[in-house]
Amino acid sequence: MKILVINCGSSSLKYQLINMEDESVICKGICERIGIEGSFIKHEANDGKWTVEVPFPTHTEAFAKVVEMMTTGEGKVIDDVKEVSAIGHRVAHGAESFKESTLVDDEVIAEIGRLGAIAPLHNPAHVLGLNSAKAVFGADVPNVVVFDTVFHATMPRKAYMYAVPYEWYEDHKVRRYGFHGTSHKFVSLTAAEFLGKKPEELKIVTCHLGNGSSIAAVDGGKVVDTSMGFSPLAGLLMGTRSGDVDPSVVSFIAEKTGMNGTELSQYLNKKCGFLGVSGVSSDCRDLEIAAGEGNDRAALTLEMLVYQIQKFIGSYTAAMNGLDCIVFTGGIGENSASTRAKVCEGLGWFGVEIDAEQNSKRGLAVNDITGANGKVKVLVVQTNEELMIARDTKRVAFGE
Ligand code: ADP
């Protein structure tokens, strides 16, 4: 069985064809600059890589090109598009309408479109992708939507409500939703399997640290709290996002600068975080180099990151009344040994201790970096959101 995993942005379409017999990647690629001049596709298959410039007025032409690349030429991996058994789509926001990965029909697409009111940057693009997939692959291929929010749908009310007028929740759907759910689910399940335990037996804090970062408290396989909120802007400081700030700062800066709500939101999403504090870069590697060369603001940014991660781990240990395992994942979590070491150094009281040599290793699917006297397991898990989407798609479309 082959499953095509799709992640549509407003001007891009990422794809991966996965062989479900051994969960290997058959081919992958990206269409960029859809609807913009200079569009192209990058396709990787059969140990080769191709970049082809081709006009993509809409996502439909991009999908058609993906099919062409998969079925013809040197990058060919299937004889006929009918070999694709199902398509799994990553969707950013399911809000309270979707509590599970879902088989797509017209009403599902319409509801994802309506949720564009609270996810304007993402959901409209997903609707374009869903409609284009139907147009190019036909009605016989099942499409499944897998939401970034769904794994967090188990949060109790006390964790997801904000202390704002209740009508904001009822009328405008204002609450904590959480994101990166597919990654938190994948790494928490992988951690349980690695530890030889059922997810129900474990209290895990999963730290997804990348350009976007979020932390989740996973108690017995269910999320009980997470750091992102109504949008992915909340929680930890990130590459260019501020994370949590006192909301009064926003109105104060609006008055000082004359920026309106949209401009401020752009600012908080694109000019803050690592970039805003350090003035150096939004990239953790650049900060580590700059801090090593004595740049004080780069060093401060990294200190803030470590401190905020520690505070989330501490508060989620309290929220779960215990902690069996910490998982690090995402570009920073998987690769920055120094971030992991500094975070764990400050958690000795919790029974966290890591093995320095094991922590320096890279590239393992799961790396157990727990120290000899560590009471809490500390794992580095390579996330694989595409595989999680493919597994969910198979389950929803065809049953276990
Ligand atoms: P995204 O959220 O866009 O998927 P990633 O998960 O790929 O991002 O994470 C990107 C981040 O990972 C960047 O800040 C990058 O600097 C960081 N990163 C990647 N490799 C390393 C490394 N070896 N050391 C420190 N940080 C790294």
Side-chain angles (χ1 to χ4, degrees):
M1 179 187 293
K2 299 181 181 80
I3 290 188
L4 183 63
V5 176
I6 296 293
N7 184 354
C8 266
S10 57
S11 65
S12 69
L13 185 166
K14 276 194 214 157
Y15 61 94
Q16 222 178 76
L17 186 64
I18 297 183
N19 180 351
M20 296 312 286
E21 315 313 326
D22 60 1
E23 299 192 327
S24 62
V25 177
I26 300 169
C27 71
K28 65 180 177 181
I30 183 164
C31 301
E32 291 202 59
R33 300 181 65 84
I34 298 169
I36 308 170
E37 219 170 292
S39 52
F40 59 90
I41 183 169
K42 278 189 194 168
H43 180 72
E44 285 183 40
N46 310 324
D47 296 325
K49 281 185 191 178
W50 297 267
T51 302
V52 185
E53 279 186 40
V54 46
F56 294 138
T58 71
H59 286 72
T60 304
E61 289 80 13
F63 261 108
K65 190 68 189 176
V66 171
V67 169
E68 190 189 314
M69 296 300 278
M70 291 196 303
T71 54
T72 61
E74 286 179 83
K76 171 177 166 173
V77 288
I78 49 175
D79 290 323
D80 192 293
V81 75
K82 291 203 171 61
E83 289 178 43
V84 174
S85 305
I87 307 175
H89 298 255
R90 178 228 165 201
V91 174
H93 217 314
E96 291 189 336
S97 307
F98 297 99
K99 305 246 157 119
E100 242 302 4
S101 300
T102 303
L103 197 61
V104 174
D105 60 20
D106 289 345
E107 180 45 34
V108 166
I109 298 180
E111 182 60 12
I112 291 169
R114 285 191 287 271
L115 295 176
I118 55 171
L121 297 179
H122 296 104
N123 277 29
H126 300 321
V127 171
L128 294 175
L130 287 162
N131 284 325
S132 298
K134 253 180 34 181
V136 172
F137 286 83
D140 291 344
V141 184
N143 284 266
V144 172
V145 276
V146 179
F147 298 89
D148 279 6
T149 45
V150 153
F151 190 49
H152 303 296
T154 49
M155 272 187 286
R157 280 193 309 178
K158 66 181 178 186
Y160 71 66
M161 285 302 291
Y162 293 125
V164 295
Y166 201 77
E167 294 74 33
W168 292 12
Y169 167 62
E170 289 179 319
D171 299 344
H172 304 298
K173 302 180 196 291
V174 169
R175 52 159 279 186
R176 179 187 307 282
Y177 292 104
F179 298 87
H180 290 142
T182 307
S183 177
H184 289 290
K185 180 175 175 182
F186 181 82
V187 299
S188 58
L189 290 176
T190 304
E193 195 183 334
F194 180 84
L195 297 172
K197 301 253 179 172
K198 294 197 182 100
E200 294 77 26
E201 297 171 304
L202 292 168
K203 296 176 190 290
I204 309 180
V205 173
T206 47
C207 306
H208 178 111
L209 312 172
N211 281 317
S213 298
S214 67
I215 299 190
V218 188
D219 191 353
K222 293 191 163 62
V223 172
V224 293
D225 208 344
T226 190
S227 61
M228 283 181 170
F230 176 68
S231 80
L233 184 55
L236 295 166
L237 83 167
M238 310 179 209
T240 60
R241 293 181 214 147
S242 62
D244 293 340
V245 289
D246 178 342
S248 65
V249 169
V250 180
S251 52
F252 176 76
I253 293 296
E255 276 164 31
K256 289 278 171 204
T257 63
M259 275 196 271
N260 64 29
T262 311
E263 290 165 331
L264 275 161
S265 166
Q266 278 269 20
Y267 217 88
L268 291 165
N269 275 290
K270 301 276 182 208
K271 303 260 190 241
C272 293
F274 296 174
L275 180 65
V277 179
S278 71
V280 171
S281 170
S282 62
D283 190 291
C284 185
R285 277 165 297 201
D286 295 342
L287 296 185
E288 289 185 357
I289 293 166
E293 290 168 353
N295 184 306
D296 182 52
R297 273 168 54 188
L300 166 66
T301 311
L302 293 172
E303 275 173 38
M304 288 169 68
L305 176 68
V306 166
Y307 181 59
Q308 293 189 9
I309 296 168
Q310 289 170 332
K311 287 207 296 184
F312 271 109
I313 294 174
S315 65
Y316 288 168
T317 302
M320 295 191 289
N321 192 16
L323 179 66
D324 298 307
C325 179
I326 298 171
V327 176
F328 289 100
T329 193
I332 299 171
E334 291 169 28
N335 297 302
S336 177
S338 66
T339 302
R340 293 192 300 260
K342 285 180 195 148
V343 166
C344 293
E345 253 168 42
L347 299 174
W349 188 83
F350 290 82
V352 175
E353 182 198 293
I354 63 169
D355 182 289
E357 196 193 325
Q358 199 62 25
N359 186 39
S360 67
K361 293 188 182 159
R362 296 264 290 271
L364 297 162
V366 181
N367 183 11
D368 183 349
I369 62 171
T370 316
N373 298 313
K375 295 195 187 72
V376 173
K377 284 282 173 195
V378 185
L379 304 180
V380 183
V381 179
Q382 311 248 337
T383 194
N384 192 338
E385 289 162 273
E386 289 79 10
L387 180 55
M388 192 74 245
I389 291 172
R391 286 180 185 164
D392 258 24
T393 301
K394 181 179 169 199
R395 178 173 57 80
V396 172
F398 306 109
E400 288 297 345

